[in-house]
Amino acid sequence: MKVINVVGARPNFMKIAPIIDAMNLRSEIEHLLVHTGQHYGQKMSQAFFDDLGLPKPDIDLGVGSGSHAVQTAGIMVAFEQVLLEHKPDWVIVVGDVNSTMACTITAKKLNVKVAHVEAGLRSRDMTMPEEINRLCTDVLVDALFTTDHFADENLIQEGVPQDKIHFVGNVMIDTLLKHRDKAQDLGTFERFGLEPGQYVAMTMHRPGNVDEKSTLQGILEVLKRLSHDIPIFFPIHPRTAKMISQFGLDDYVSTIPKDGKKLGPGVWVTDPLGYLDFLNVNMHSRLVLTDSGGLQEETTVLGIPCVTMRPNTERPITCEMGTNLIVGNDPQLIESAVCKILAGGIGEHRIPPKWDGKVGQRIVAKLIELGV
Ligand code: UD1
């Protein structure tokens, strides 16, 4: 069986790694790795390949940044040539980024079978580009690998035949469990002048939070206020860095001094971190403040409280069982959620079923069973 595994953006790398590991153990599968180049460079791409031990991509489409249409079309044009040359039996796509959707459409139009890992997640928020990517992908693919019961229910409700849906668990958690011990003692937070359990780890990059000046300014104002109670450590996504500078909001954030001295009040920004460094920062934090999807899941497994600055989540299992609070981007709601956690924590939480480190193996076993 010949398989093409696709990655494009930062959150894809930790999802494909366990699948490649599992494929390497099975002689039935010959596999190639295609990187679309949606994310690129050392910090957004290469650092993850290094940390996760991912093989160098067999093919790099080098598409880069652009508007949605430009980026999606660029990936499709380049990926079509790859499919025509290599003629795979299956294409595996993960997550919900533009690369996921673009490669799915291209493969299906050439009658190549596609499997989607992390299928069925729905925010029901059509202003999120990711929701459009999820819907387009799931309606087309031949195998839908799901993380939880909500995803299965969404797909059934949308009329996806039951025999195409495979509940395997959360593959990104395979990567977390594999690297947890190594990340534990890396000393990353100390290097930045942080003390264990005494800082907020923050990420933010959603267009809904950073692309409008008033929204971004409102969030930065509340962060600055909160940082008098607890320092905020903010490895900053390139989109957010660009918008802060474009809107002239640089005064709200401070750059971390290189001397490693203890950080006081402030919203402390630094360049994006690699996988292991961020895992270290995450697991030793008091709480995580984010608009990411994956972090809602990682904090659930680590037992770290998570305040999600979005009006909705496609990952409700992290609220039902985990440590996640959805608060939107209203500054007052963000402030009261953070203060509540600082005052008392989050109560009972559990790890969802099949988030157990064996998901890559389940996916590959099922693919082999499905055959060419
Ligand atoms: C993308 C995904 C989003 C995911 C996020 C994780 C889509 C629609 N969005 O959003 O789901 O949560 O990745 O990071 O697929 N840039 C760089 N270097 C890079 C990549 C981007 O500087 O390696 C800058 C460029 O200015 C670019 C901007 O960041 O225009 C946005 O990048 P893009 O890939 O379009 O979307 P993300 O916001 O990263």
Side-chain angles (χ1 to χ4, degrees):
M1 181 188 289
K2 190 166 179 184
V3 175
I4 289 186
N5 293 310
V6 174
V7 289
R10 195 165 61 164
N12 294 163
F13 306 134
M14 34 290 202
K15 294 172 194 167
I16 213 70
I19 297 173
I20 292 178
D21 284 348
M23 285 183 178
N24 283 336
L25 298 173
R26 302 292 300 248
S27 56
E28 299 94 325
I29 295 187
E30 179 194 335
H31 55 100
L32 293 176
L33 179 60
V34 171
H35 189 341
T36 66
Q38 179 175 347
H39 284 174
Y40 44 89
Q42 176 62 31
K43 295 202 162 95
M44 296 298 283
S45 176
Q46 189 56 47
F48 292 82
F49 278 75
D50 298 343
D51 278 359
L52 303 175
L54 275 169
K56 189 169 176 300
D58 297 287
I59 301 154
D60 193 336
L61 306 181
V63 167
S65 300
S67 69
H68 284 276
V70 165
Q71 191 173 60
T72 306
I75 296 167
M76 290 174 75
V77 170
F79 192 56
E80 186 175 52
Q81 292 310 311
V82 173
L83 293 171
L84 290 172
E85 185 181 334
H86 293 278
K87 302 194 178 358
D89 300 301
W90 283 90
V91 167
I92 314 291
V93 295
V94 299
D96 56 15
V97 301
N98 287 345
S99 303
T100 312
M101 180 186 72
C103 292
T104 298
I105 295 174
T106 312
K108 287 308 299 173
K109 289 211 167 175
L110 290 174
N111 289 322
V112 176
K113 281 189 279 198
V114 180
H116 182 206
V117 175
E118 204 185 80
L121 300 188
R122 298 288 181 268
S123 65
R124 308 287 172 212
D125 177 353
M126 294 300 282
T127 67
M128 283 183 82
E130 294 80 2
E131 185 71 358
I132 297 168
N133 293 340
R134 292 179 200 116
L135 287 164
C136 294
T137 301
D138 285 346
V139 82
L140 291 175
V141 299
D142 305 271
L144 299 100
F145 291 110
T146 59
T147 49
D148 62 46
H149 71 91
F150 288 104
D152 286 18
E153 287 152 20
N154 290 336
L155 294 170
I156 296 286
Q157 215 177 52
E158 289 168 19
V160 176
Q162 181 93 53
D163 62 355
K164 285 168 113 188
I165 305 170
H166 310 289
F167 169 44
V168 289
N170 191 328
V171 78
M172 197 185 57
I173 302 306
D174 286 15
T175 299
L176 176 73
L177 297 177
K178 177 175 175 187
H179 295 282
R180 187 183 194 160
D181 288 347
K182 202 190 315 169
Q184 173 92 28
D185 300 320
L186 272 185
T188 314
F189 72 89
E190 290 106 320
R191 270 205 313 281
F192 284 105
L194 298 161
E195 294 186 273
Q198 294 186 45
Y199 60 92
V200 172
M202 149 137 183
T203 75
M204 179 170 72
H205 71 284
R206 295 270 161 221
N209 284 339
V210 308
D211 283 5
E212 285 279 335
K213 182 175 181 184
S214 57
T215 309
L216 181 56
Q217 187 164 5
I219 296 174
L220 291 174
E221 269 164 13
V222 78
L223 295 180
K224 190 124 201 195
R225 227 172 26 247
L226 283 168
S227 80
H228 288 279
D229 296 329
I230 184 164
I232 296 178
F233 178 69
F234 183 13
I236 196 162
H237 187 284
R239 173 192 284 278
T240 313
K242 193 166 77 180
M243 299 321 285
I244 286 181
S245 140
Q246 194 172 309
F247 294 143
L249 300 173
D250 310 76
D251 286 350
Y252 287 95
V253 296
S254 316
T255 308
I256 300 176
K258 296 235 181 299
D259 58 15
K261 281 217 187 91
K262 187 182 157 191
L263 294 181
V267 182
W268 297 100
V269 295
T270 188
D271 285 342
L273 299 182
Y275 181 75
L276 293 173
D277 278 331
F278 192 77
L279 181 53
N280 175 276
V281 165
N282 177 0
M283 74 200 325
H284 293 289
S285 69
R286 176 74 186 82
L287 69 100
V288 165
L289 187 56
T290 191
D291 60 10
S292 146
L295 261 174
Q296 298 170 47
E297 301 176 332
E298 289 168 339
T299 48
T300 279
V301 172
L302 294 169
I304 299 286
C306 181
V307 175
T308 299
M309 299 180 289
R310 285 179 38 193
N312 47 55
T313 181
E314 62 289 332
R315 293 162 161 94
I317 194 94
T318 59
C319 305
E320 183 192 62
M321 294 192 151
T323 57
N324 191 19
L325 277 179
I326 302 293
V327 300
N329 59 16
D330 178 316
Q332 275 183 341
L333 295 178
I334 295 172
E335 185 164 13
S336 61
V338 170
C339 291
K340 195 170 134 203
I341 289 170
L342 292 180
I346 34 128
E348 285 281 295
H349 57 270
R350 280 175 297 147
I351 296 177
K354 296 198 193 176
W355 292 24
D356 59 359
K358 298 183 181 133
V359 182
Q361 291 166 34
R362 277 188 207 110
I363 290 170
V364 171
K366 180 52 77 177
L367 262 184
I368 290 170
E369 192 188 313
L370 292 173
V372 292

